[in-house]
DNA sequence: CGTTAATTTGAGACCATTCAATTTCGGTGG
DNA sequence: CCACCGAAATTGAATGGTCTCAAATTAACG
């Protein structure tokens, strides 16, 4: 069952910049996402903007957090993609979630003092690192933000549940189709996709590690989806040629993403 | 891929009893669990005891909640076992989690207005149904309870992550061993197990639906574990004969259960 | 003590894996 | 701008874990 996992030295590049310059770029995608379900006042937004944070940039495959290590910060993904994973005893890797800009990577750190999984940059990624104590204080002070953050973790949880279903009860074709549906849907909701096309930097090995398959079988299954005219996937670019078909193959129902309520 | 799923009419038996009589039995297991990580004052406990709630009893396999339906309550399991599940398009069932007395079944209902999965009684089960508005008010008023409830949902989430790993990167033997480890560990922590033995009312079909296997293969795998002298499992009773061995087979590490922090 | 659910058994088929080798792609230095 | 390099994608063939289907046996329960 062993599958190769490239190990990359965590040489983190840390950069500090003037807070006021980056302020809007840090908050905008987060506010956009939260705005779908929670209404924040100007006071709420000011309080968020006043949060202390540090910008960090990571190269591809770098670890942002490691299982077993103590937690002190929460991170928002600003640019690039990231994923969370766990390693099993024989060295195989299971990817647990993918993340796109504007999403928190580890809100559970607020209350959990030791990480129970790893976080890796999928491609070159930049994040905002916020001391968890500051976030907790903000949650104590502002009910709307408290609700938004809790809701964020609850939706996270809902997505894990759907992944359990995906891995447990769908075949290779269905699993991959479902994953593509989810990512396309989230990229669209975030305003990052362009119509039916989007940047899609996942390697086939990463898709395999997320769907519980091998890279070889992932390759064959993707080819079948291409041959059937459902998708086009080349050089980090995904085009969904037949959305309805993909939804049917993946048995995809967006309810679990809770874009509203 | 279709697997049989018995459908049971949701004839719920609802019983009301004098709140003061049941009060302690409702709270004790919850407080015991929360006490491992959060310290509650007497005021906190009084506020919890003042929560409005209704006792409900469900027969085996009855639905306590259905995907797509609006949510209005949160439920604590008082007696019996329960599980959460989702059905896929071909009718197959994936069990997402099992629950033992003292655990909340659906805290996410506090913020999510429509259920994204189903909840079923595993055997005859009784629950306390609490209006979610009352819980939210209590969380606004009392920081410790707020923390305890959020932490509960975060640990829930951590367990889902581990299930993703279990389904994605372990073979049948490992998946079943891991599930047994988790349940035994949680039952022990709840003080429900007796040493290495515990009540274990799951059918092989339910174990199969939780591990992404068929009932037939689950049967053969359990037999192998018995033959190897790792477990004894008969007539709703599980005895773990060789804990270390089971832990090794299931690649089990209790960290994700967050019994502390 | 009868009836249904649950467990067990067998044999064949299939989906996905393994292992290895080849081809293509993306980035880099000269 | 092109040759080069390692990573990623692709291909083939053999193996194997799990599934399917069906039937038999055992256990649970009123």
């Amino acid at each position: 069952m062993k599958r190769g996992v490239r190990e990359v030295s965590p040489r983190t590049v840390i950069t500090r910049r003037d807070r006021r310059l980056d302020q809007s770029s840090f908050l905008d995608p987060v506010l956009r996402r939260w705005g779908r379900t929670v209404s924040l006042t100007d006071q709420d937004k000011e309080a968020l903007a006043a949060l202390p944070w540090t910008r960090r940039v990571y190269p591809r495959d770098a670890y942002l957090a490691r299982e077993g290590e103590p937690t002190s910060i929460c991170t928002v993904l600003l640019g690039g993609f990231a994923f969370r994973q766990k390693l099993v005893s024989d060295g195989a890797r299971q990817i647990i979630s993918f993340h796109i800009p504007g999403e928190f990577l580890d809100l559970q750190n607020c209350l959990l003092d030791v990480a129970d999984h790893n976080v890796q940059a999928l491609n070159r990624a930049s994040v905002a690192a916020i001391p968890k104590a500051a976030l907790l204080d903000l949650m104590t002070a502002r009910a709307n933000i408290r609700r938004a953050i809790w809701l964020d973790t609850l939706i996270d949880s809902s997505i894990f549940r759907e992944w359990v279903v995906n891995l447990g009860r769908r075949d290779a074709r269905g699993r991959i189709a479902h994953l593509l549906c989810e990512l396309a849907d989230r990229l669209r909701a975030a305003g990052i996709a362009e119509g039916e096309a989007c940047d899609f930097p996942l390697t086939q090995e990463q898709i395999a590690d997320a769907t519980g398959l091998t890279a070889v079988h992932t390759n064959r299954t993707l080819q079948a989806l291409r041959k059937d005219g459902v998708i086009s996937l080349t050089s980090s670019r995904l085009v969904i040629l037949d959305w309805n078909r993909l939804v049917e193959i993946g048995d995809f129902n967006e309810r679990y993403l809770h874009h509203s309520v």
Side-chain angles (χ1 to χ4, degrees), chain A residues 53-224:
Chain A
W53 63 283
T54 307
R55 187 164 186 272
R56 297 182 180 179
V57 179
Y58 296 86
R60 182 179 202 290
D61 283 328
Y63 275 77
L64 316 212
R66 282 180 190 272
E67 177 172 0
E69 291 191 345
T71 63
S72 59
I73 57 166
C74 292
T75 52
V76 181
L77 190 55
L78 300 180
F81 284 38
F83 62 91
R84 305 200 253 174
Q85 51 96 334
K86 292 180 101 162
L87 302 173
V88 295
S89 56
D90 66 358
R93 176 178 72 175
Q94 178 62 43
I95 291 180
I96 282 164
S97 66
F98 291 105
H99 293 282
I100 65 177
E103 294 182 347
F104 276 90
L105 299 178
D106 47 15
L107 271 179
Q108 74 282 344
N109 285 358
C110 284
L111 295 192
L112 301 179
D113 292 337
V114 44
D116 56 53
H117 61 275
N118 305 298
V119 185
Q120 270 185 288
L122 193 146
N123 45 16
R124 191 164 187 278
S126 65
V127 305
I130 308 167
K132 66 187 203 182
L135 260 185
L136 282 169
D137 287 347
L138 190 54
M139 288 178 75
T140 302
R142 315 229 111 253
N144 289 333
I145 294 172
R146 183 158 76 230
R147 168 180 280 255
I149 288 178
W150 188 24
L151 181 58
D152 235 30
T153 66
L154 291 177
I155 294 174
D156 221 42
S157 196
S158 172
I159 295 175
F160 294 138
R161 287 193 287 271
E162 184 63 30
W163 279 46
V164 168
V165 175
N166 202 36
L167 289 159
R169 285 290 179 244
R170 288 197 260 264
D171 62 13
R173 194 176 166 84
R175 288 185 210 179
I176 289 178
H178 190 279
L179 175 62
L180 297 181
C181 284
E182 175 181 315
L183 289 174
D185 192 280
R186 285 165 58 193
L187 287 167
R188 267 187 291 222
I192 298 176
E194 305 114 35
E196 296 305 319
C198 57
D199 279 332
F200 197 82
L202 315 210
T203 67
Q204 293 183 2
E205 190 185 1
Q206 288 161 347
I207 297 175
D209 283 348
T211 51
L213 303 167
T214 58
V216 170
H217 195 58
T218 297
N219 178 276
R220 290 193 238 262
T221 307
L222 283 173
Q223 285 182 56

Side-chain angles (χ1 to χ4, degrees), chain A residues 245-261:
Chain A
R245 193 83 189 294
L246 192 64
V247 164
E248 189 193 340
I249 295 169
D251 182 30
F252 179 74
N253 181 328
E254 63 168 13
R255 170 158 45 219
Y256 76 97
L257 293 172
H258 294 281
H259 283 145
S260 58
V261 302

Side-chain angles (χ1 to χ4, degrees), chain A residues 7-34:
Chain A
E7 190 72 22
V8 165
S9 61
R11 52 205 145 77
T12 307
V13 180
I14 302 189
T15 316
R16 288 170 188 276
R17 298 229 299 239
D18 180 0
R19 186 179 304 156
R20 267 150 301 187
L21 279 177
D22 275 332
Q23 194 165 284
S24 70
S25 72
F26 158 41
L27 281 178
D28 282 350
V30 176
L31 293 180
R32 177 195 168 112
R33 210 158 40 76
W34 286 356

